[in-house]
Amino acid sequence: MATNRVTVLERHLCAGGADVPGTMVHFSELGLVNTREMYSRAIDGGWAAPAFNFNNMEQMQAIVQACSEVHSPVILQVSKGARNYASQILLRYMAKGAVEYSKELTKDGKGIPIALNLDHGDSYELCVSCINSGFSNVMIDGSALSYEKNIELTRRVVEYAHRFDVTVEGELGVLAGVEDEVAHESHNFTRPEEVEDFVKRTGVDSLAISIGTSHGAYKFKPGQHPQIRLDILHEVERRLPRFPIVLHGSSSVPQYAVDTINKYGGRLPGAIGIPEEQLREAARSAVCKINIDSDSRLVMTAAIREYFAKKPEHFDPRQYFTPARKALKELYEHKCTHVLNSAGKSWF
């Protein structure tokens, strides 16, 4: 593209005649990157990019602080619910602020590679809106549709996104669990025999697969052996050599956070996540992006509950958000350094 700003008419034509008011903001104007180089480097280096969801300033600060400190690339993730909660305008400038903040935090002032991703986009219109407001990657989730309808929807999003160099993640298979607007009672594992056809016909840049991870804090039942289907992952990897694979629902549900929440008035009986060793193995394969959301919610809630229990007279949000932000930063550093192996992988 010769310019990052696209006129209303150009956008109208690119969207196939869809009436999209306003002026487009390209992700490069915000200092963001798409995921193409990030995933290529991850495949070559045997690591996975951390994809951390955020809903407010404190979460974003902790993500950028942690990843800048350990020199890890990062994908900031926003769900449809988070976008409605925080406002698309504020999110755009928070993303730009994250880029500038990372420059301030790194000694050489170059910052770290940061992508902004729509997590579980459920419609073409939502994906287009995010692309037009500066997102550098969008995930279109047509996994609940029929196979052919999923291809049709995903291909349509890809055709629009690629005109602006925005990368696209599709999904095959259904994850169980509940997180924001995404809710399914049971798994529908990805069928490896479908992945080549799906990627070829849609043109997606990465593919989320279902191998037993699930959304939310209740991924397995008490007494059940937590085990994801790494055999499906390895078969997908064999059929799609060097193609970026994504794992959703990959929180480990740290027991210390669950115990703290329950100790100070919470009710989270039997919350169980994905063992970190299994995520480490996945990160060494073609899995280039691992999504983590519930862990940060749990850690933040635990810190705030403990703070109020010990200091019930306090009411200044800065007082209880400070330890919550610190706990989040420690979690993100741990994930980058000890689970995803993304620490030290910034190429800026």
Side-chain angles (χ1 to χ4, degrees), residues 173-210:
V174 177
L175 272 70
V178 178
E179 193 164 42
D180 287 357
E181 298 80 16
V182 182
H184 297 288
E185 291 186 3
S186 60
H187 294 289
N188 181 5
F189 292 121
T190 299
R191 300 175 62 186
E193 62 269 22
E194 293 179 342
V195 296
E196 295 163 283
D197 179 67
F198 185 86
V199 168
K200 181 179 179 180
R201 292 172 62 188
T202 60
V204 289
D205 302 282
S206 61
L207 181 65
I209 62 174
S210 173

PDB file of all heavy atoms in Angstrom, residues 173-210:
ATOM      1  N   GLY A 173     -12.469 -27.420  14.322  1.00  0.00           N
ATOM      2  CA  GLY A 173     -12.701 -28.115  15.580  1.00  0.00           C
ATOM      3  C   GLY A 173     -13.298 -27.157  16.593  1.00  0.00           C
ATOM      4  O   GLY A 173     -13.197 -25.936  16.457  1.00  0.00           O
ATOM      5  N   VAL A 174     -13.930 -27.705  17.620  1.00  0.00           N
ATOM      6  CA  VAL A 174     -14.626 -26.897  18.617  1.00  0.00           C
ATOM      7  C   VAL A 174     -14.047 -27.171  19.994  1.00  0.00           C
ATOM      8  O   VAL A 174     -13.902 -28.326  20.401  1.00  0.00           O
ATOM      9  CB  VAL A 174     -16.136 -27.203  18.619  1.00  0.00           C
ATOM     10  CG1 VAL A 174     -16.842 -26.416  19.721  1.00  0.00           C
ATOM     11  CG2 VAL A 174     -16.742 -26.882  17.255  1.00  0.00           C
ATOM     12  N   LEU A 175     -13.715 -26.098  20.735  1.00  0.00           N
ATOM     13  CA  LEU A 175     -13.226 -26.223  22.101  1.00  0.00           C
ATOM     14  C   LEU A 175     -14.377 -26.153  23.082  1.00  0.00           C
ATOM     15  O   LEU A 175     -15.290 -25.331  22.932  1.00  0.00           O
ATOM     16  CB  LEU A 175     -12.243 -25.086  22.424  1.00  0.00           C
ATOM     17  CG  LEU A 175     -10.768 -25.307  22.079  1.00  0.00           C
ATOM     18  CD1 LEU A 175     -10.582 -25.302  20.570  1.00  0.00           C
ATOM     19  CD2 LEU A 175      -9.905 -24.215  22.709  1.00  0.00           C
ATOM     20  N   ALA A 176     -14.338 -27.010  24.081  1.00  0.00           N
ATOM     21  CA  ALA A 176     -15.340 -26.956  25.146  1.00  0.00           C
ATOM     22  C   ALA A 176     -15.014 -25.803  26.087  1.00  0.00           C
ATOM     23  O   ALA A 176     -13.928 -25.229  26.057  1.00  0.00           O
ATOM     24  CB  ALA A 176     -15.361 -28.278  25.907  1.00  0.00           C
ATOM     25  N   GLY A 177     -15.996 -25.473  26.947  1.00  0.00           N
ATOM     26  CA  GLY A 177     -15.764 -24.460  27.966  1.00  0.00           C
ATOM     27  C   GLY A 177     -16.468 -23.151  27.664  1.00  0.00           C
ATOM     28  O   GLY A 177     -17.112 -22.979  26.635  1.00  0.00           O
ATOM     29  N   VAL A 178     -16.312 -22.203  28.595  1.00  0.00           N
ATOM     30  CA  VAL A 178     -16.963 -20.903  28.489  1.00  0.00           C
ATOM     31  C   VAL A 178     -15.938 -19.804  28.718  1.00  0.00           C
ATOM     32  O   VAL A 178     -15.172 -19.837  29.683  1.00  0.00           O
ATOM     33  CB  VAL A 178     -18.097 -20.763  29.535  1.00  0.00           C
ATOM     34  CG1 VAL A 178     -18.731 -19.377  29.443  1.00  0.00           C
ATOM     35  CG2 VAL A 178     -19.140 -21.850  29.345  1.00  0.00           C
ATOM     36  N   GLU A 179     -15.916 -18.832  27.808  1.00  0.00           N
ATOM     37  CA  GLU A 179     -15.073 -17.661  27.978  1.00  0.00           C
ATOM     38  C   GLU A 179     -15.660 -16.545  27.120  1.00  0.00           C
ATOM     39  O   GLU A 179     -15.715 -16.631  25.905  1.00  0.00           O
ATOM     40  CB  GLU A 179     -13.627 -17.949  27.562  1.00  0.00           C
ATOM     41  CG  GLU A 179     -12.658 -16.872  28.015  1.00  0.00           C
ATOM     42  CD  GLU A 179     -11.213 -17.355  27.936  1.00  0.00           C
ATOM     43  OE1 GLU A 179     -10.859 -18.010  26.954  1.00  0.00           O
ATOM     44  OE2 GLU A 179     -10.459 -17.067  28.859  1.00  0.00           O
ATOM     45  N   ASP A 180     -16.096 -15.474  27.783  1.00  0.00           N
ATOM     46  CA  ASP A 180     -16.788 -14.373  27.113  1.00  0.00           C
ATOM     47  C   ASP A 180     -17.973 -14.917  26.311  1.00  0.00           C
ATOM     48  O   ASP A 180     -18.794 -15.626  26.844  1.00  0.00           O
ATOM     49  CB  ASP A 180     -15.822 -13.574  26.233  1.00  0.00           C
ATOM     50  CG  ASP A 180     -14.882 -12.710  27.069  1.00  0.00           C
ATOM     51  OD1 ASP A 180     -15.027 -12.695  28.294  1.00  0.00           O
ATOM     52  OD2 ASP A 180     -14.003 -12.052  26.491  1.00  0.00           O
ATOM     53  N   GLU A 181     -18.038 -14.623  25.001  1.00  0.00           N
ATOM     54  CA  GLU A 181     -19.186 -15.048  24.198  1.00  0.00           C
ATOM     55  C   GLU A 181     -19.047 -16.478  23.679  1.00  0.00           C
ATOM     56  O   GLU A 181     -19.957 -17.005  23.043  1.00  0.00           O
ATOM     57  CB  GLU A 181     -19.379 -14.115  22.998  1.00  0.00           C
ATOM     58  CG  GLU A 181     -19.672 -12.671  23.364  1.00  0.00           C
ATOM     59  CD  GLU A 181     -18.423 -11.900  23.749  1.00  0.00           C
ATOM     60  OE1 GLU A 181     -17.310 -12.378  23.458  1.00  0.00           O
ATOM     61  OE2 GLU A 181     -18.554 -10.841  24.371  1.00  0.00           O
ATOM     62  N   VAL A 182     -17.911 -17.118  23.922  1.00  0.00           N
ATOM     63  CA  VAL A 182     -17.649 -18.450  23.385  1.00  0.00           C
ATOM     64  C   VAL A 182     -18.038 -19.505  24.409  1.00  0.00           C
ATOM     65  O   VAL A 182     -17.507 -19.539  25.517  1.00  0.00           O
ATOM     66  CB  VAL A 182     -16.155 -18.614  23.013  1.00  0.00           C
ATOM     67  CG1 VAL A 182     -15.913 -19.984  22.411  1.00  0.00           C
ATOM     68  CG2 VAL A 182     -15.732 -17.516  22.050  1.00  0.00           C
ATOM     69  N   ALA A 183     -18.978 -20.384  24.056  1.00  0.00           N
ATOM     70  CA  ALA A 183     -19.433 -21.408  24.991  1.00  0.00           C
ATOM     71  C   ALA A 183     -19.830 -22.672  24.239  1.00  0.00           C
ATOM     72  O   ALA A 183     -20.672 -22.641  23.343  1.00  0.00           O
ATOM     73  CB  ALA A 183     -20.624 -20.890  25.801  1.00  0.00           C
ATOM     74  N   HIS A 184     -19.191 -23.796  24.604  1.00  0.00           N
ATOM     75  CA  HIS A 184     -19.538 -25.096  24.027  1.00  0.00           C
ATOM     76  C   HIS A 184     -19.447 -26.138  25.123  1.00  0.00           C
ATOM     77  O   HIS A 184     -18.534 -26.112  25.951  1.00  0.00           O
ATOM     78  CB  HIS A 184     -18.583 -25.463  22.879  1.00  0.00           C
ATOM     79  CG  HIS A 184     -18.646 -24.510  21.725  1.00  0.00           C
ATOM     80  ND1 HIS A 184     -19.714 -24.456  20.867  1.00  0.00           N
ATOM     81  CD2 HIS A 184     -17.769 -23.568  21.306  1.00  0.00           C
ATOM     82  CE1 HIS A 184     -19.496 -23.518  19.942  1.00  0.00           C
ATOM     83  NE2 HIS A 184     -18.318 -22.968  20.201  1.00  0.00           N
ATOM     84  N   GLU A 185     -20.377 -27.064  25.135  1.00  0.00           N
ATOM     85  CA  GLU A 185     -20.428 -28.076  26.199  1.00  0.00           C
ATOM     86  C   GLU A 185     -19.376 -29.163  26.032  1.00  0.00           C
ATOM     87  O   GLU A 185     -18.921 -29.745  27.009  1.00  0.00           O
ATOM     88  CB  GLU A 185     -21.822 -28.702  26.252  1.00  0.00           C
ATOM     89  CG  GLU A 185     -22.904 -27.743  26.756  1.00  0.00           C
ATOM     90  CD  GLU A 185     -24.238 -28.433  26.929  1.00  0.00           C
ATOM     91  OE1 GLU A 185     -24.288 -29.662  26.702  1.00  0.00           O
ATOM     92  OE2 GLU A 185     -25.210 -27.765  27.304  1.00  0.00           O
ATOM     93  N   SER A 186     -19.000 -29.466  24.793  1.00  0.00           N
ATOM     94  CA  SER A 186     -18.072 -30.584  24.587  1.00  0.00           C
ATOM     95  C   SER A 186     -17.100 -30.287  23.453  1.00  0.00           C
ATOM     96  O   SER A 186     -17.314 -29.379  22.643  1.00  0.00           O
ATOM     97  CB  SER A 186     -18.853 -31.867  24.265  1.00  0.00           C
ATOM     98  OG  SER A 186     -19.628 -31.689  23.091  1.00  0.00           O
ATOM     99  N   HIS A 187     -16.015 -31.058  23.415  1.00  0.00           N
ATOM    100  CA  HIS A 187     -15.007 -30.928  22.373  1.00  0.00           C
ATOM    101  C   HIS A 187     -15.484 -31.531  21.059  1.00  0.00           C
ATOM    102  O   HIS A 187     -16.230 -32.504  21.034  1.00  0.00           O
ATOM    103  CB  HIS A 187     -13.716 -31.656  22.773  1.00  0.00           C
ATOM    104  CG  HIS A 187     -13.012 -31.064  23.940  1.00  0.00           C
ATOM    105  ND1 HIS A 187     -12.342 -29.867  23.897  1.00  0.00           N
ATOM    106  CD2 HIS A 187     -12.865 -31.534  25.214  1.00  0.00           C
ATOM    107  CE1 HIS A 187     -11.809 -29.617  25.083  1.00  0.00           C
ATOM    108  NE2 HIS A 187     -12.112 -30.600  25.890  1.00  0.00           N
ATOM    109  N   ASN A 188     -15.041 -30.943  19.985  1.00  0.00           N
ATOM    110  CA  ASN A 188     -15.125 -31.563  18.669  1.00  0.00           C
ATOM    111  C   ASN A 188     -13.716 -31.477  18.107  1.00  0.00           C
ATOM    112  O   ASN A 188     -13.314 -30.441  17.574  1.00  0.00           O
ATOM    113  CB  ASN A 188     -16.128 -30.821  17.779  1.00  0.00           C
ATOM    114  CG  ASN A 188     -16.269 -31.450  16.408  1.00  0.00           C
ATOM    115  OD1 ASN A 188     -15.693 -32.495  16.131  1.00  0.00           O
ATOM    116  ND2 ASN A 188     -17.018 -30.799  15.531  1.00  0.00           N
ATOM    117  N   PHE A 189     -12.943 -32.538  18.283  1.00  0.00           N
ATOM    118  CA  PHE A 189     -11.533 -32.493  17.923  1.00  0.00           C
ATOM    119  C   PHE A 189     -11.346 -32.203  16.432  1.00  0.00           C
ATOM    120  O   PHE A 189     -12.147 -32.629  15.593  1.00  0.00           O
ATOM    121  CB  PHE A 189     -10.840 -33.813  18.273  1.00  0.00           C
ATOM    122  CG  PHE A 189     -10.722 -34.063  19.748  1.00  0.00           C
ATOM    123  CD1 PHE A 189     -11.297 -35.185  20.318  1.00  0.00           C
ATOM    124  CD2 PHE A 189     -10.038 -33.178  20.559  1.00  0.00           C
ATOM    125  CE1 PHE A 189     -11.194 -35.426  21.681  1.00  0.00           C
ATOM    126  CE2 PHE A 189      -9.923 -33.402  21.917  1.00  0.00           C
ATOM    127  CZ  PHE A 189     -10.511 -34.529  22.486  1.00  0.00           C
ATOM    128  N   THR A 190     -10.281 -31.484  16.138  1.00  0.00           N
ATOM    129  CA  THR A 190      -9.914 -31.223  14.744  1.00  0.00           C
ATOM    130  C   THR A 190      -9.633 -32.541  14.033  1.00  0.00           C
ATOM    131  O   THR A 190      -8.964 -33.426  14.569  1.00  0.00           O
ATOM    132  CB  THR A 190      -8.665 -30.326  14.688  1.00  0.00           C
ATOM    133  OG1 THR A 190      -8.970 -29.077  15.326  1.00  0.00           O
ATOM    134  CG2 THR A 190      -8.242 -30.077  13.254  1.00  0.00           C
ATOM    135  N   ARG A 191     -10.137 -32.666  12.827  1.00  0.00           N
ATOM    136  CA  ARG A 191      -9.876 -33.849  12.008  1.00  0.00           C
ATOM    137  C   ARG A 191      -8.676 -33.543  11.105  1.00  0.00           C
ATOM    138  O   ARG A 191      -8.766 -32.704  10.194  1.00  0.00           O
ATOM    139  CB  ARG A 191     -11.099 -34.180  11.170  1.00  0.00           C
ATOM    140  CG  ARG A 191     -12.338 -34.482  11.992  1.00  0.00           C
ATOM    141  CD  ARG A 191     -13.561 -34.680  11.124  1.00  0.00           C
ATOM    142  NE  ARG A 191     -13.399 -35.826  10.224  1.00  0.00           N
ATOM    143  CZ  ARG A 191     -14.272 -36.139   9.278  1.00  0.00           C
ATOM    144  NH1 ARG A 191     -15.339 -35.371   9.085  1.00  0.00           N
ATOM    145  NH2 ARG A 191     -14.070 -37.200   8.516  1.00  0.00           N
ATOM    146  N   PRO A 192      -7.531 -34.181  11.349  1.00  0.00           N
ATOM    147  CA  PRO A 192      -6.329 -33.863  10.572  1.00  0.00           C
ATOM    148  C   PRO A 192      -6.510 -33.988   9.069  1.00  0.00           C
ATOM    149  O   PRO A 192      -5.867 -33.258   8.298  1.00  0.00           O
ATOM    150  CB  PRO A 192      -5.303 -34.886  11.091  1.00  0.00           C
ATOM    151  CG  PRO A 192      -5.759 -35.201  12.471  1.00  0.00           C
ATOM    152  CD  PRO A 192      -7.251 -35.170  12.415  1.00  0.00           C
ATOM    153  N   GLU A 193      -7.399 -34.883   8.628  1.00  0.00           N
ATOM    154  CA  GLU A 193      -7.585 -35.072   7.183  1.00  0.00           C
ATOM    155  C   GLU A 193      -8.245 -33.868   6.514  1.00  0.00           C
ATOM    156  O   GLU A 193      -8.276 -33.783   5.278  1.00  0.00           O
ATOM    157  CB  GLU A 193      -8.410 -36.334   6.919  1.00  0.00           C
ATOM    158  CG  GLU A 193      -9.811 -36.320   7.490  1.00  0.00           C
ATOM    159  CD  GLU A 193      -9.893 -36.890   8.894  1.00  0.00           C
ATOM    160  OE1 GLU A 193      -8.852 -36.910   9.593  1.00  0.00           O
ATOM    161  OE2 GLU A 193     -10.995 -37.321   9.288  1.00  0.00           O
ATOM    162  N   GLU A 194      -8.752 -32.919   7.302  1.00  0.00           N
ATOM    163  CA  GLU A 194      -9.402 -31.738   6.720  1.00  0.00           C
ATOM    164  C   GLU A 194      -8.499 -30.520   6.628  1.00  0.00           C
ATOM    165  O   GLU A 194      -8.818 -29.562   5.916  1.00  0.00           O
ATOM    166  CB  GLU A 194     -10.632 -31.358   7.551  1.00  0.00           C
ATOM    167  CG  GLU A 194     -11.763 -32.372   7.505  1.00  0.00           C
ATOM    168  CD  GLU A 194     -12.933 -31.959   8.360  1.00  0.00           C
ATOM    169  OE1 GLU A 194     -12.760 -31.088   9.251  1.00  0.00           O
ATOM    170  OE2 GLU A 194     -14.033 -32.508   8.155  1.00  0.00           O
ATOM    171  N   VAL A 195      -7.382 -30.516   7.331  1.00  0.00           N
ATOM    172  CA  VAL A 195      -6.624 -29.274   7.494  1.00  0.00           C
ATOM    173  C   VAL A 195      -5.998 -28.777   6.192  1.00  0.00           C
ATOM    174  O   VAL A 195      -5.964 -27.565   5.944  1.00  0.00           O
ATOM    175  CB  VAL A 195      -5.539 -29.418   8.590  1.00  0.00           C
ATOM    176  CG1 VAL A 195      -6.179 -29.663   9.944  1.00  0.00           C
ATOM    177  CG2 VAL A 195      -4.521 -30.504   8.252  1.00  0.00           C
ATOM    178  N   GLU A 196      -5.495 -29.684   5.372  1.00  0.00           N
ATOM    179  CA  GLU A 196      -4.857 -29.238   4.121  1.00  0.00           C
ATOM    180  C   GLU A 196      -5.862 -28.563   3.199  1.00  0.00           C
ATOM    181  O   GLU A 196      -5.586 -27.498   2.627  1.00  0.00           O
ATOM    182  CB  GLU A 196      -4.215 -30.430   3.419  1.00  0.00           C
ATOM    183  CG  GLU A 196      -3.063 -31.048   4.191  1.00  0.00           C
ATOM    184  CD  GLU A 196      -2.724 -32.450   3.692  1.00  0.00           C
ATOM    185  OE1 GLU A 196      -3.451 -33.400   4.026  1.00  0.00           O
ATOM    186  OE2 GLU A 196      -1.725 -32.572   2.965  1.00  0.00           O
ATOM    187  N   ASP A 197      -7.021 -29.164   3.050  1.00  0.00           N
ATOM    188  CA  ASP A 197      -8.059 -28.599   2.204  1.00  0.00           C
ATOM    189  C   ASP A 197      -8.529 -27.250   2.749  1.00  0.00           C
ATOM    190  O   ASP A 197      -8.718 -26.285   1.990  1.00  0.00           O
ATOM    191  CB  ASP A 197      -9.235 -29.560   2.117  1.00  0.00           C
ATOM    192  CG  ASP A 197     -10.374 -29.025   1.269  1.00  0.00           C
ATOM    193  OD1 ASP A 197     -10.181 -28.880   0.044  1.00  0.00           O
ATOM    194  OD2 ASP A 197     -11.453 -28.734   1.827  1.00  0.00           O
ATOM    195  N   PHE A 198      -8.694 -27.165   4.070  1.00  0.00           N
ATOM    196  CA  PHE A 198      -9.174 -25.925   4.688  1.00  0.00           C
ATOM    197  C   PHE A 198      -8.194 -24.777   4.462  1.00  0.00           C
ATOM    198  O   PHE A 198      -8.587 -23.675   4.067  1.00  0.00           O
ATOM    199  CB  PHE A 198      -9.392 -26.145   6.187  1.00  0.00           C
ATOM    200  CG  PHE A 198      -9.999 -24.955   6.890  1.00  0.00           C
ATOM    201  CD1 PHE A 198     -11.375 -24.789   6.925  1.00  0.00           C
ATOM    202  CD2 PHE A 198      -9.198 -24.015   7.520  1.00  0.00           C
ATOM    203  CE1 PHE A 198     -11.943 -23.700   7.577  1.00  0.00           C
ATOM    204  CE2 PHE A 198      -9.748 -22.929   8.176  1.00  0.00           C
ATOM    205  CZ  PHE A 198     -11.126 -22.766   8.202  1.00  0.00           C
ATOM    206  N   VAL A 199      -6.931 -25.026   4.707  1.00  0.00           N
ATOM    207  CA  VAL A 199      -5.911 -23.984   4.537  1.00  0.00           C
ATOM    208  C   VAL A 199      -5.805 -23.555   3.077  1.00  0.00           C
ATOM    209  O   VAL A 199      -5.719 -22.361   2.762  1.00  0.00           O
ATOM    210  CB  VAL A 199      -4.554 -24.490   5.067  1.00  0.00           C
ATOM    211  CG1 VAL A 199      -3.418 -23.559   4.635  1.00  0.00           C
ATOM    212  CG2 VAL A 199      -4.596 -24.610   6.585  1.00  0.00           C
ATOM    213  N   LYS A 200      -5.845 -24.515   2.170  1.00  0.00           N
ATOM    214  CA  LYS A 200      -5.723 -24.206   0.748  1.00  0.00           C
ATOM    215  C   LYS A 200      -6.901 -23.375   0.251  1.00  0.00           C
ATOM    216  O   LYS A 200      -6.728 -22.405  -0.487  1.00  0.00           O
ATOM    217  CB  LYS A 200      -5.622 -25.499  -0.061  1.00  0.00           C
ATOM    218  CG  LYS A 200      -5.474 -25.279  -1.559  1.00  0.00           C
ATOM    219  CD  LYS A 200      -5.353 -26.613  -2.294  1.00  0.00           C
ATOM    220  CE  LYS A 200      -5.221 -26.402  -3.808  1.00  0.00           C
ATOM    221  NZ  LYS A 200      -5.100 -27.701  -4.524  1.00  0.00           N
ATOM    222  N   ARG A 201      -8.094 -23.714   0.674  1.00  0.00           N
ATOM    223  CA  ARG A 201      -9.290 -23.048   0.158  1.00  0.00           C
ATOM    224  C   ARG A 201      -9.591 -21.712   0.833  1.00  0.00           C
ATOM    225  O   ARG A 201     -10.287 -20.873   0.267  1.00  0.00           O
ATOM    226  CB  ARG A 201     -10.495 -23.984   0.279  1.00  0.00           C
ATOM    227  CG  ARG A 201     -10.397 -25.176  -0.655  1.00  0.00           C
ATOM    228  CD  ARG A 201     -11.492 -26.192  -0.391  1.00  0.00           C
ATOM    229  NE  ARG A 201     -12.836 -25.635  -0.613  1.00  0.00           N
ATOM    230  CZ  ARG A 201     -13.958 -26.266  -0.307  1.00  0.00           C
ATOM    231  NH1 ARG A 201     -13.906 -27.477   0.254  1.00  0.00           N
ATOM    232  NH2 ARG A 201     -15.129 -25.699  -0.532  1.00  0.00           N
ATOM    233  N   THR A 202      -9.075 -21.527   2.036  1.00  0.00           N
ATOM    234  CA  THR A 202      -9.341 -20.257   2.734  1.00  0.00           C
ATOM    235  C   THR A 202      -8.203 -19.253   2.612  1.00  0.00           C
ATOM    236  O   THR A 202      -8.438 -18.050   2.632  1.00  0.00           O
ATOM    237  CB  THR A 202      -9.585 -20.498   4.238  1.00  0.00           C
ATOM    238  OG1 THR A 202      -8.418 -21.110   4.815  1.00  0.00           O
ATOM    239  CG2 THR A 202     -10.810 -21.384   4.460  1.00  0.00           C
ATOM    240  N   GLY A 203      -6.969 -19.740   2.531  1.00  0.00           N
ATOM    241  CA  GLY A 203      -5.826 -18.836   2.482  1.00  0.00           C
ATOM    242  C   GLY A 203      -5.425 -18.268   3.825  1.00  0.00           C
ATOM    243  O   GLY A 203      -4.702 -17.256   3.886  1.00  0.00           O
ATOM    244  N   VAL A 204      -5.866 -18.904   4.909  1.00  0.00           N
ATOM    245  CA  VAL A 204      -5.527 -18.398   6.239  1.00  0.00           C
ATOM    246  C   VAL A 204      -4.021 -18.439   6.473  1.00  0.00           C
ATOM    247  O   VAL A 204      -3.295 -19.230   5.874  1.00  0.00           O
ATOM    248  CB  VAL A 204      -6.230 -19.185   7.365  1.00  0.00           C
ATOM    249  CG1 VAL A 204      -7.711 -18.895   7.388  1.00  0.00           C
ATOM    250  CG2 VAL A 204      -5.955 -20.679   7.247  1.00  0.00           C
ATOM    251  N   ASP A 205      -3.575 -17.576   7.387  1.00  0.00           N
ATOM    252  CA  ASP A 205      -2.154 -17.498   7.731  1.00  0.00           C
ATOM    253  C   ASP A 205      -1.795 -18.384   8.913  1.00  0.00           C
ATOM    254  O   ASP A 205      -0.620 -18.701   9.125  1.00  0.00           O
ATOM    255  CB  ASP A 205      -1.787 -16.046   8.062  1.00  0.00           C
ATOM    256  CG  ASP A 205      -2.097 -15.113   6.902  1.00  0.00           C
ATOM    257  OD1 ASP A 205      -1.309 -15.097   5.941  1.00  0.00           O
ATOM    258  OD2 ASP A 205      -3.134 -14.413   6.959  1.00  0.00           O
ATOM    259  N   SER A 206      -2.792 -18.758   9.708  1.00  0.00           N
ATOM    260  CA  SER A 206      -2.573 -19.657  10.837  1.00  0.00           C
ATOM    261  C   SER A 206      -3.881 -20.378  11.127  1.00  0.00           C
ATOM    262  O   SER A 206      -4.955 -19.935  10.714  1.00  0.00           O
ATOM    263  CB  SER A 206      -2.094 -18.893  12.081  1.00  0.00           C
ATOM    264  OG  SER A 206      -3.057 -17.937  12.490  1.00  0.00           O
ATOM    265  N   LEU A 207      -3.766 -21.490  11.856  1.00  0.00           N
ATOM    266  CA  LEU A 207      -4.940 -22.326  12.091  1.00  0.00           C
ATOM    267  C   LEU A 207      -5.018 -22.746  13.555  1.00  0.00           C
ATOM    268  O   LEU A 207      -4.088 -23.362  14.082  1.00  0.00           O
ATOM    269  CB  LEU A 207      -4.889 -23.572  11.213  1.00  0.00           C
ATOM    270  CG  LEU A 207      -6.069 -24.546  11.324  1.00  0.00           C
ATOM    271  CD1 LEU A 207      -7.355 -23.890  10.832  1.00  0.00           C
ATOM    272  CD2 LEU A 207      -5.777 -25.823  10.534  1.00  0.00           C
ATOM    273  N   ALA A 208      -6.126 -22.397  14.200  1.00  0.00           N
ATOM    274  CA  ALA A 208      -6.390 -22.866  15.557  1.00  0.00           C
ATOM    275  C   ALA A 208      -7.027 -24.247  15.482  1.00  0.00           C
ATOM    276  O   ALA A 208      -7.954 -24.465  14.704  1.00  0.00           O
ATOM    277  CB  ALA A 208      -7.321 -21.898  16.276  1.00  0.00           C
ATOM    278  N   ILE A 209      -6.514 -25.171  16.286  1.00  0.00           N
ATOM    279  CA  ILE A 209      -7.031 -26.538  16.259  1.00  0.00           C
ATOM    280  C   ILE A 209      -7.524 -26.938  17.647  1.00  0.00           C
ATOM    281  O   ILE A 209      -7.121 -26.362  18.662  1.00  0.00           O
ATOM    282  CB  ILE A 209      -5.974 -27.542  15.758  1.00  0.00           C
ATOM    283  CG1 ILE A 209      -4.758 -27.585  16.689  1.00  0.00           C
ATOM    284  CG2 ILE A 209      -5.549 -27.205  14.328  1.00  0.00           C
ATOM    285  CD1 ILE A 209      -3.744 -28.669  16.335  1.00  0.00           C
ATOM    286  N   SER A 210      -8.388 -27.917  17.673  1.00  0.00           N
ATOM    287  CA  SER A 210      -8.946 -28.437  18.928  1.00  0.00           C
ATOM    288  C   SER A 210      -8.303 -29.780  19.241  1.00  0.00           C
ATOM    289  O   SER A 210      -8.497 -30.757  18.521  1.00  0.00           O
ATOM    290  CB  SER A 210     -10.462 -28.595  18.790  1.00  0.00           C
ATOM    291  OG  SER A 210     -11.001 -29.239  19.923  1.00  0.00           O
TER     292      SER A 210
END
